[in-house]
């Protein structure tokens, strides 16, 4: 097979380091590197009001970044020179921009309203999306109302999603994020790890007659998922008197692979499909979100999709200088490539978003952890930063020390909401006071003069100085609703896209996960065989395998 035809012209022709705006940014950085946020604010009293952008109910304050209007202008020029406009249009049009897999990248079609048209290989995919959504809705309503019964006639009270990676992280994150809106009479669990503890703990207190499994796997061949699915089937069938017919009432599948679904024993009438143009880490709003829909109901799920779509439209149509995902993506590039920042911390001040950083880790790092450009040339600049984080305020009592006083520059995204979902006394004001205080402390710090004035003994002064000049974004919204969650996820999806376009990499493949999978397949029989295997790995791997074999026999 020859190389696929590039459907997006006009990008990647000039290597990044040779683009005019890139060079201008290099020169500009030399000045910016010296300037403190204290002086940027002191010299420009309007800054905090001006360096903001608001769209679809999300307010972004990016004024506490180490930038000037000139920086923003140059970054936007860089986006222009990098062909961002054409790349956005290509994605939304359904061009096969995932060139290494020759696939369109159309998570935006998953939330396109009925009546819109997006074509892949001459076929309008939007009606297909809505047909699956309708099927999911019908099924969800039947389960939620109790009409769908288990094999013994019991109502389904427990739903377990079995999946991993993109078929797990989105569903878990969304369930936790939207728990407030979920049916509390039902229990939702998520099994992903091939470590048997994951499954064992998930079912330990559940009754098989009330438990429905969703086997979520695009390929339906993933080792972890299929191992867990078979274990689940055995647990379920055994718990239901050994009748294989029970599988039809207790297992449904979300997959693109009908053949394997049928082979597993799931009736393909109970399979919810999606398409090769949905990447795993971009799939939480496809049928992979079936557990989410079961938890929150079809209407609320559609509200989430509407939130996604609003952000898609904002991204597609808004000029770059007011475009939230583009601004955030460009700022990430600014710190990653000019300041040499290696990580970005995402700090949601909302307990329900506790899994949001973990979700973002896959979205960002699987997408932009790439070392070659679209044409296969090794990059000579840093690509995807490491994303990490924890909900505030907990992180403040843990790793924030390093952000405030360590030697590394860690740009932070603070995410806060004005209205709590569980209002209790003063909690929300205390929570939000911490958001504002942290960004203020990071930016402005505390000088030695200030520390001395407080009467601190000289020897202690250096320890108590905060350099400041630590950048952050603050995202504020009214309230965490399903709609807001959709907007937030789409915001980061498109920020990741923007970064990938600047770096001229393919944000939509993940070849880096393959090698380990292949090697594991080779090692599995070496661990399982009763005979001492002839090993031909390196001496470390051989030694570890032998030691493991001895240790497991020891019990
Ligand atoms: C995500 C990746 C990956 C994938 C898992 C599960 O973008 O493709 O995380 O989601 O490997 O794959 P299956 O859904 O095919 O089981």
């Amino acid at each position: 097979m020859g190389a696929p035809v590039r459907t997006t012209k006009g990008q990647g022709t000039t290597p990044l380091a040779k683009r005019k705006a890139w060079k201008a940014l290099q020169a500009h950085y030399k000045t910016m590197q010296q300037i403190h946020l204290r002086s940027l604010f002191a010299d420009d009293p309007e800054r905090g009001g001006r360096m903001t952008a608001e769209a679809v109910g999300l307010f972004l304050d990016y004024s506490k970044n180490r930038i000037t209007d000139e920086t923003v202008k140059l970054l936007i020029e860089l986006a222009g020179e990098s062909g961002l406009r054409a790349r956005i249009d290509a994605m939304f049009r359904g061009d096969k921009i995932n060139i290494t897999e020759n696939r369109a990248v159309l998570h935006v079609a998953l939330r396109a309203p009925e009546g819109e048209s997006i074509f892949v290989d001459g076929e309008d995919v939007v009606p297909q999306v809505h047909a699956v959504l309708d099927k999911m809705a019908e099924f969800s309503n039947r389960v939620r109302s109790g009409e769908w019964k288990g094999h013994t006639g019991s109502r389904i009270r427990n739903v377990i999603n079995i999946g991993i990676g993109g078929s797990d992280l989105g569903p878990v994150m969304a369930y936790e994020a939207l728990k407030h809106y979920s049916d509390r009479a039902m229990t939702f669990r998520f099994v992903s790890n091939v470590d048997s503890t994951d499954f064992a703990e998930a079912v330990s207190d559940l009754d098989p007659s009330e438990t429905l499994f969703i086997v979520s796997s695009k390929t339906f061949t993933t080792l972890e998922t299929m191992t867990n699915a078979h274990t689940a089937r055995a647990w379920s069938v055994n718990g239901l008197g050994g009748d294989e017919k029970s599988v039809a009432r207790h297992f449904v599948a979300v997959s693109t692979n009908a053949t394997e679904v049928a082979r597993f024993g799931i009736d393909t009438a109970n399979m919810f499909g999606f398409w090769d143009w949905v990447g795993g880490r971009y799939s939480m709003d496809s049928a992979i979100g079936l557990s989410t829909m079961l938890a929150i109901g079809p209407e609320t799920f559609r509200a989430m999709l509407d939130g996604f779509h609003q952000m898609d439209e904002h991204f597609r149509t808004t000029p770059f200088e007011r475009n939230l995902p583009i601004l955030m993506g460009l700022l990430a590039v600014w710190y990653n490539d000019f300041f040499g920042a290696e990580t970005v911390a995402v700090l949601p001040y909302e307990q329900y978003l506790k899994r949001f950083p973990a979700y973002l880790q896959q979205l960002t790092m699987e997408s932009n952890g790439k070392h070659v450009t679209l044409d296969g040339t090794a990059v000579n600049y840093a690509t995807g930063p490491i994303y990490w984080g924890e909900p505030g305020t907990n992180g403040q009592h843990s790793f924030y020390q390093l952000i405030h006083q360590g030697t590394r520059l860690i740009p932070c995204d603070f995410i806060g909401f004005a209205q709590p979902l569980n209002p209790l006394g003063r909690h929300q004001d205390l929570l939000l006071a911490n958001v504002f205080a942290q960004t203020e402390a990071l930016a402005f710090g505390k000088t030695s003069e200030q520390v001395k004035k407080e009467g601190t003994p000289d020897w202690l002064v250096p320890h108590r100085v905060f350099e400041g000049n630590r950048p952050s974004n603050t995202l504020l919204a009214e309230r965490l609703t399903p709609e807001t969650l959709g907007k937030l996820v789409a915001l980061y999806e498109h920020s990741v896209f923007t970064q990938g376009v600047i770096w001229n990499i393919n944000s939509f493949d993940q070849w880096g996960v393959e090698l380990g999978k292949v090697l594991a397949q080779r090692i599995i029989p070496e661990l399982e065989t009763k005979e001492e295997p002839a090993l031909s790995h390196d001496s470390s791997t051989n030694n570890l395998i032998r030691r493991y074999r001895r240790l497991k026999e020891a019990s």
Side-chain angles (χ1 to χ4, degrees):
M1 194 183 87
V5 177
R6 305 278 157 81
T7 48
T8 311
K9 298 198 189 80
Q11 51 75 36
T13 44
T14 312
L16 179 54
K18 298 214 164 109
R19 289 176 214 157
K20 220 171 114 220
W22 183 266
K23 289 187 188 154
L25 280 161
Q26 278 174 326
H28 176 67
Y29 165 70
K30 293 209 174 98
T31 321
M32 289 309 298
Q33 184 188 19
Q34 318 290 340
I35 302 179
H36 201 287
L37 278 164
R38 281 183 207 127
S39 48
L40 290 174
F41 272 85
D43 298 347
D44 176 6
E46 306 300 317
R47 181 183 172 94
R50 190 181 66 256
M51 286 189 165
T52 62
E54 189 168 10
V56 300
L58 293 188
F59 177 78
L60 169 67
D61 176 346
Y62 60 95
S63 64
K64 293 193 185 88
N65 280 292
R66 294 175 63 175
I67 55 171
T68 58
D69 294 333
E70 175 69 7
T71 324
V72 177
K73 186 181 138 263
L74 291 174
L75 285 169
I76 285 169
E77 278 171 24
L78 178 66
E81 283 177 44
S82 306
L84 181 58
R85 179 72 269 153
R87 300 282 291 161
I88 294 172
D89 293 342
M91 175 170 73
F92 278 83
R93 201 166 49 223
D95 287 7
K96 297 192 175 173
I97 61 169
N98 176 358
I99 58 160
T100 60
E101 296 178 310
N102 196 24
R103 287 177 183 164
V105 173
L106 272 182
H107 39 281
V108 294
L110 298 170
R111 49 262 191 163
E114 251 173 323
E116 274 191 14
S117 293
I118 302 175
F119 290 89
V120 177
D121 295 328
E123 243 187 289
D124 187 358
V125 298
V126 179
Q128 301 172 22
V129 165
H130 284 275
V132 173
L133 280 172
D134 290 345
K135 185 173 169 182
M136 288 164 66
E138 199 225 322
F139 176 71
S140 298
N141 285 334
R142 287 177 70 195
V143 173
R144 285 164 62 86
S145 67
E147 185 196 327
W148 176 284
K149 299 264 187 293
H151 182 62
T152 60
S154 298
R155 187 178 177 141
I156 297 296
R157 295 185 197 282
N158 318 309
V159 174
I160 301 188
N161 184 74
I162 298 179
I164 197 164
S167 301
D168 168 71
L169 287 159
V172 182
M173 183 278 287
Y175 172 67
E176 291 296 341
L178 302 178
K179 203 173 194 170
H180 182 77
Y181 303 89
S182 71
D183 180 347
R184 296 308 181 96
M186 293 176 76
T187 296
F188 289 84
R189 304 242 167 104
F190 300 84
V191 174
S192 54
N193 200 336
V194 75
D195 182 338
S196 46
T197 295
D198 204 9
F199 180 80
E201 284 293 341
V203 297
S204 64
D205 56 347
L206 301 187
D207 177 348
S209 68
E210 299 179 340
T211 304
L212 174 79
F213 290 93
I214 306 173
V215 185
S216 294
S217 177
K218 185 172 167 180
T219 54
F220 229 73
T221 56
T222 305
L223 172 83
E224 292 89 339
T225 301
M226 297 326 295
T227 306
N228 278 319
H230 281 103
T231 301
R233 190 172 63 178
W235 177 84
S236 179
V237 170
N238 286 342
L240 295 168
D243 188 347
E244 289 284 338
K245 282 211 270 333
S246 63
V247 172
R249 308 303 301 168
H250 292 272
F251 283 80
V252 297
V254 178
S255 188
T256 57
N257 189 345
T259 316
E260 284 302 319
V261 168
R263 186 172 307 170
F264 180 86
I266 295 176
D267 184 350
T268 47
N270 299 327
M271 167 176 150
F272 301 85
F274 59 121
W275 306 270
D276 74 353
W277 42 262
V278 185
R281 54 193 174 276
Y282 296 88
S283 67
M284 60 166 278
D285 45 342
S286 70
I288 289 291
L290 183 61
S291 58
T292 315
M293 192 188 271
L294 281 161
I296 64 178
E299 282 321 302
T300 317
F301 190 86
R302 284 181 200 274
M304 179 183 80
L305 294 182
D306 182 52
F308 271 100
H309 181 66
Q310 289 181 49
M311 183 54 76
D312 294 342
E313 284 304 284
H314 166 72
F315 177 55
R316 192 175 67 80
T317 62
T318 308
F320 290 3
E321 58 276 14
R322 285 186 281 116
N323 195 309
L324 266 58
I326 293 179
L327 287 168
M328 286 181 69
L330 291 172
L331 286 166
V333 170
W334 175 234
Y335 293 117
N336 186 67
D337 293 294
F338 296 92
F339 285 80
E342 292 192 329
T343 81
V344 177
V346 179
L347 310 164
Y349 281 64
E350 166 57 71
Q351 186 62 21
Y352 285 121
L353 288 181
K354 65 182 180 194
R355 294 285 300 189
F356 192 61
Y359 170 77
L360 280 187
Q361 288 192 322
Q362 186 195 21
L363 178 67
T364 58
M365 296 202 271
E366 207 163 49
S367 296
N368 284 341
K370 306 292 159 63
H371 75 297
V372 295
T373 61
L374 289 170
D375 66 8
T377 314
V379 298
N380 55 359
Y381 42 84
T383 61
I386 299 156
Y387 277 76
W388 59 290
E390 276 287 318
T393 57
N394 298 16
Q396 290 174 208
H397 297 263
S398 150
F399 53 78
Y400 278 39
Q401 165 64 35
L402 186 148
I403 307 180
H404 281 287
Q405 284 192 318
T407 53
R408 295 165 198 280
L409 184 78
I410 303 182
C412 302
D413 290 350
F414 285 82
I415 304 172
F417 298 87
Q419 298 171 13
L421 291 170
N422 297 291
L424 282 177
R426 305 165 63 210
H427 284 253
Q428 193 67 4
D429 286 341
L430 302 187
L431 181 67
L432 270 288
N434 275 283
V435 174
F436 307 139
Q438 287 298 325
T439 65
E440 194 175 24
L442 286 167
F444 302 103
K446 197 171 185 184
T447 62
S448 54
E449 289 69 43
Q450 289 170 311
V451 176
K452 274 181 205 151
K453 252 199 207 146
E454 289 170 350
T456 310
D458 280 356
W459 68 271
L460 194 54
V461 170
H463 298 274
R464 302 197 58 172
V465 165
F466 288 67
E467 268 178 359
N469 215 15
R470 321 256 156 155
S472 65
N473 289 314
T474 304
L475 275 166
L476 268 186
E478 197 173 280
R479 190 180 168 86
L480 178 61
T481 61
E483 203 182 303
T484 314
L485 181 71
K487 293 170 187 172
L488 210 50
V489 173
L491 169 69
Y492 277 95
E493 285 176 347
H494 299 320
S495 165
V496 164
F497 179 85
T498 301
Q499 295 169 49
V501 170
I502 305 293
W503 294 320
N504 197 25
I505 56 179
N506 184 359
S507 302
F508 302 105
D509 60 11
Q510 56 284 317
W511 299 105
V513 303
E514 295 302 323
L515 179 60
K517 284 192 204 169
V518 173
L519 296 184
Q521 286 301 337
R522 183 176 154 206
I523 293 174
I524 291 166
E526 295 171 345
L527 304 187
E528 287 182 333
T529 178
K530 292 276 168 262
E531 313 296 313
E532 194 59 33
L535 299 175
S536 55
H537 304 274
D538 59 276
S539 58
S540 161
T541 311
N542 286 346
N543 196 34
L544 287 166
I545 291 173
R546 288 196 191 104
R547 180 152 298 243
Y548 169 76
R549 288 179 56 89
R550 277 207 306 279
L551 283 173
K552 74 170 185 171
E553 292 309 321
S555 56

